[in-house]
Amino acid sequence: MVVKVAKVQKTNLLPVVEQSEEEKMTVKKYLRGEAADLGELQDKKLKGQLAVREDLYGKSAQAAAQAEKWLMPSEGGYLEVEGIEKTWRIKQDAIAAEVDILSSRKQFDIVLPDFGPYTLDFSLSGRYMIAAGKKGHMALLDMKNMDLIKEFQVRETVRDVVFLHNQKLFAAAQKKYVYMYSDNGTEMHCLKEHGAVTKLQFLNKHFLLTSINKFGQLHYQDITTGEMIGNYRTGLGRTDTMEVNPYNNVIGVGHSGGTVSMWKPTSAAPLVKMLCHQGPVTAMAFHSNGHLMATAGMERKIKLWDLRKFEVLQTLPGSTKAMQFSQRGLLAAATGSFVQVYGDLSGSQEYSRYMGHSIAKGYQIRKVQFRPYEDVLAIGHSKGWSSILIPGSGEPNFDTWVANPFETRKQRNEKEVRSLLDKLPPETIMLDPTKIGSVKPATKKEMPTKQDIEADKEAAVEGAKKTPLKKKTKGRSKPSKVTKKKQEAIMRAKKPFLEKQDEKVKKKRKRAEEENQLPKSLQRFARKAPAS
């Protein structure tokens, strides 16, 4: 009995869903460039391998787009108005009346008139804030629970304060030296090499504490080993304007002559020195993408620079002594007791007024700082500090591997160990970090062949022959003299080629003599050449 097995055609039970334009754009964001053109390949094996690889790239991009859809549910938004209304006319009271209770708690004023002006800094996750008054008052706060962790008085002038790799350590630039403190107010280290520092920055990927003192000296110190990586004189005088580019960790310093210099720890000379203003640079800030820089000068101008071309993109009127970009590209600039926020809402790199806020008259703003992953702007002024709501300023979704506001003690310890293992060396700081991993081009020039030398020689001779001669009077343009001058021109054209040939012969003869030279013990038996 013969049993016939019928062939069953496999059918795809899952319906094919067409992707929307938004989903296609998300998938395109995760693709590794354009797909390779496999039609021109002749090798069938290589063609098949590349086809499988391109298919895997497409599937991984779709999986990443799906993960973004489900794991990044929050979307950032901006203020929207109707008709002839303007966003910069909306007050903080109107915003607080419309937002939820948790968001309204982020809007407050702390008045401490005896210790100001205050400077501020946030941790990477945005959960913790350190506030330091110029008259020595320091306070560490948990902004999520609105709790005061530690408050103490150093009884000395404090010019700047900055968090280190996490909220457990922070550095303060005091009257004479830089001090490192723990989260419970204990003094850990006194860094005397930095001197009287005016500005501090911390490079978290390299664990480098960077400072510039009142003599214009730039210091880089590794806080893991205590080694001083670099100590350079800028040579452009005292400054209190220094910012770090988050894209490549290059330090930008603004000077009193209107110039901005950019530094890395392994170079004693600046990578870039550009004239930005006709007067002293009062403030500067870097965009998170690393390609946009904002500078402010005493001539009451705010300039936006494209760092890929080092050209001015836009000039805005106004002066400021405190300026910063948010995670989503909003620019906050403070003058006196007024804060102006500019936004690129159209995406064409044309900044315009977005929001404004005026604190109590007479308060002088010293520092503005956007809180990471929150639509909050912190303002440090002469009478304390304030917090206002700026819709659309913070990144709505955080990556727990980079910055986790809800991390436990165990997670924090594991992250500290992992970041120490992944610490980048100072040599990786450069203007274009994409060059890391690329192949360095060969510096040795290829030696020209004999045919190339002969061709160059003939071209030089032909050029000498065709060179027109000036017509001169009184018998100096006779045919015999013209011929003689052309021969001299030909000889001058041949001379460099003949000299190179003689040098090669001499080097070859010298090398042969060195190879055939007798050892010192036998040289006295060698036959001496007859004197000429």
Side-chain angles (χ1 to χ4, degrees):
M1 185 177 177
V2 180
V3 179
K4 292 184 180 181
V5 179
K7 293 182 179 180
V8 180
Q9 188 177 2
K10 293 182 179 180
T11 57
N12 190 7
L13 299 178
L14 295 175
V16 178
V17 180
E18 293 185 1
Q19 291 182 336
S20 62
E21 289 295 329
E22 186 179 353
E23 291 175 348
K24 288 179 181 178
M25 291 297 294
T26 309
V27 171
K28 189 177 179 181
K29 182 173 68 174
Y30 289 102
L31 283 174
R32 306 185 181 188
E34 296 182 359
D37 187 9
L38 307 179
E40 299 178 356
L41 291 177
Q42 301 295 330
D43 191 343
K44 292 184 179 180
K45 184 177 179 182
L46 177 62
K47 192 174 181 179
Q49 290 175 347
L50 292 178
V52 172
R53 188 70 59 84
E54 291 293 338
D55 187 37
L56 286 175
Y57 288 160
K59 288 180 179 178
S60 64
Q62 289 181 357
Q66 288 292 328
E68 178 181 331
K69 179 179 178 181
W70 295 109
L71 298 179
M72 300 177 69
S74 301
E75 295 182 0
Y78 296 98
L79 282 178
E80 294 182 0
V81 293
E82 296 179 353
I84 60 173
E85 292 182 354
K86 303 294 182 183
T87 56
W88 44 268
R89 288 178 178 166
I90 299 176
K91 303 297 182 183
Q92 288 294 312
D93 297 337
I95 296 174
E98 299 296 332
V99 297
D100 57 285
I101 298 174
L102 289 177
S103 298
S104 62
R105 288 179 61 195
K106 299 169 187 173
Q107 191 183 65
F108 58 85
D109 293 294
I110 303 294
V111 180
L112 296 168
D114 298 331
F115 305 112
Y118 276 83
T119 182
L120 313 166
D121 190 43
F122 285 101
S123 61
L124 287 176
S125 62
R127 176 168 179 173
Y128 299 94
M129 186 186 81
I130 180 75
K134 192 174 182 180
K135 295 180 182 177
H137 175 244
M138 289 193 195
L140 180 62
L141 299 100
D142 184 348
M143 303 301 291
K144 177 178 173 290
N145 300 323
M146 299 301 293
D147 289 337
L148 177 64
I149 298 174
K150 187 64 180 178
E151 182 182 20
F152 59 99
Q153 172 67 250
V154 297
R155 305 192 180 198
E156 199 176 35
T157 302
V158 178
R159 299 187 185 93
D160 198 13
V161 66
V162 65
F163 272 114
L164 300 184
H165 58 286
N166 57 24
Q167 74 275 9
K168 289 291 181 180
L169 283 174
F170 60 90
Q174 295 180 204
K175 185 176 181 180
K176 286 187 177 181
Y177 308 118
V178 176
Y179 291 87
M180 287 174 60
Y181 295 95
S182 65
D183 60 340
N184 57 9
T186 306
E187 181 186 321
M188 307 296 291
H189 298 286
C190 175
L191 310 178
K192 294 185 178 181
E193 298 92 339
H194 294 256
V197 168
T198 59
K199 195 71 176 175
L200 286 171
Q201 290 291 341
F202 182 69
L203 311 182
N204 57 335
K205 295 177 184 176
H206 308 267
F207 282 80
L208 291 178
L209 179 64
T210 310
S211 69
I212 189 161
N213 60 22
K214 63 181 182 181
F215 302 109
Q217 287 180 315
L218 193 64
H219 293 82
Y220 291 87
Q221 187 165 11
D222 191 335
I223 66 165
T224 59
T225 61
E227 180 186 0
M228 186 65 73
I229 303 297
N231 178 9
Y232 309 119
R233 280 186 175 273
T234 59
L236 296 169
R238 175 171 177 159
T239 179
D240 56 356
T241 304
M242 183 177 73
E243 294 293 333
V244 60
N245 190 336
Y247 174 66
N248 51 20
N249 283 321
V250 170
I251 292 291
V253 182
H255 303 281
S256 58
T259 59
V260 170
S261 56
M262 299 183 188
W263 301 78
K264 68 176 183 177
T266 55
S267 175
L271 300 174
V272 176
K273 187 188 285 186
M274 51 192 294
L275 182 64
C276 297
H277 295 274
Q278 296 177 354
V281 178
T282 57
M284 62 184 301
F286 289 96
H287 196 282
S288 57
N289 63 12
H291 304 317
L292 191 64
M293 178 180 72
T295 60
M298 288 287 284
E299 74 273 24
R300 301 183 63 82
K301 286 182 181 178
I302 299 174
K303 294 183 179 181
L304 299 175
W305 298 82
D306 186 352
L307 294 181
R308 292 167 292 187
K309 301 178 182 178
F310 297 102
E311 293 179 354
V312 179
L313 291 176
Q314 189 179 359
T315 302
L316 300 168
S319 62
T320 177
K321 291 188 177 180
M323 189 162 52
Q324 199 197 25
F325 277 104
S326 73
Q327 288 180 314
R328 295 189 55 132
L330 297 182
L331 176 63
T335 306
S337 59
F338 183 72
V339 179
Q340 184 72 59
V341 180
Y342 300 92
D344 177 22
L345 305 181
S346 61
S348 59
Q349 291 189 341
E350 287 290 329
Y351 276 75
S352 59
R353 284 193 294 177
Y354 174 58
M355 286 189 69
H357 178 68
S358 180
I359 58 177
K361 193 173 181 180
Y363 289 10
Q364 296 298 310
I365 297 174
R366 183 183 178 187
K367 183 75 176 283
V368 290
Q369 187 85 13
F370 281 101
R371 183 177 168 188
Y373 306 104
E374 295 284 352
D375 292 345
V376 172
L377 176 65
I379 305 167
H381 49 78
S382 57
K383 301 295 183 181
W385 68 86
S386 304
S387 178
I388 62 174
L389 298 177
I390 306 293
S393 62
E395 180 65 37
N397 302 288
F398 58 87
D399 187 352
T400 55
W401 289 96
V402 178
N404 185 7
F406 308 100
E407 68 182 0
T408 61
R409 180 184 298 177
K410 183 178 179 182
Q411 288 173 336
R412 185 181 66 243
N413 294 338
E414 289 178 354
K415 181 184 176 184
E416 187 171 357
V417 173
R418 188 171 62 250
S419 58
L420 282 169
L421 293 173
D422 295 339
K423 186 180 79 167
L424 297 176
E427 291 78 16
T428 57
I429 298 176
M430 57 185 68
L431 281 176
D432 187 9
T434 58
K435 289 184 179 179
I436 298 174
S438 60
V439 180
K440 187 177 180 180
T443 56
K444 188 177 179 181
K445 294 182 180 179
E446 295 183 0
M447 294 295 291
T449 60
K450 192 175 182 181
Q451 290 81 4
D452 295 338
I453 295 173
E454 287 295 328
D456 293 341
K457 186 177 177 182
E458 290 177 3
V461 170
E462 288 295 326
K465 286 181 181 180
K466 293 178 180 179
T467 303
L469 298 174
K470 292 182 180 180
K471 290 186 179 181
K472 297 183 178 179
T473 57
K474 295 184 180 180
R476 286 184 289 179
S477 293
K478 290 181 180 180
S480 58
K481 290 192 175 182
V482 171
T483 305
K484 186 179 179 181
K485 287 179 182 178
K486 286 187 177 181
Q487 289 176 353
E488 289 175 355
I490 291 170
M491 289 303 295
R492 282 196 299 271
K494 287 183 179 180
K495 189 175 181 179
F497 296 96
L498 296 174
E499 288 177 352
K500 286 182 182 179
Q501 193 173 356
D502 290 341
E503 286 178 4
K504 285 182 181 179
V505 172
K506 287 179 182 178
K507 285 181 181 179
K508 193 173 181 181
R509 192 179 296 165
K510 188 177 180 181
R511 200 180 301 116
E513 288 176 357
E514 289 175 354
E515 289 176 356
N516 298 329
Q517 191 175 11
L518 293 172
K520 285 186 178 181
S521 58
L522 300 177
Q523 282 181 4
R524 60 196 181 98
F525 300 107
R527 185 178 295 176
K528 294 182 181 180
S532 56

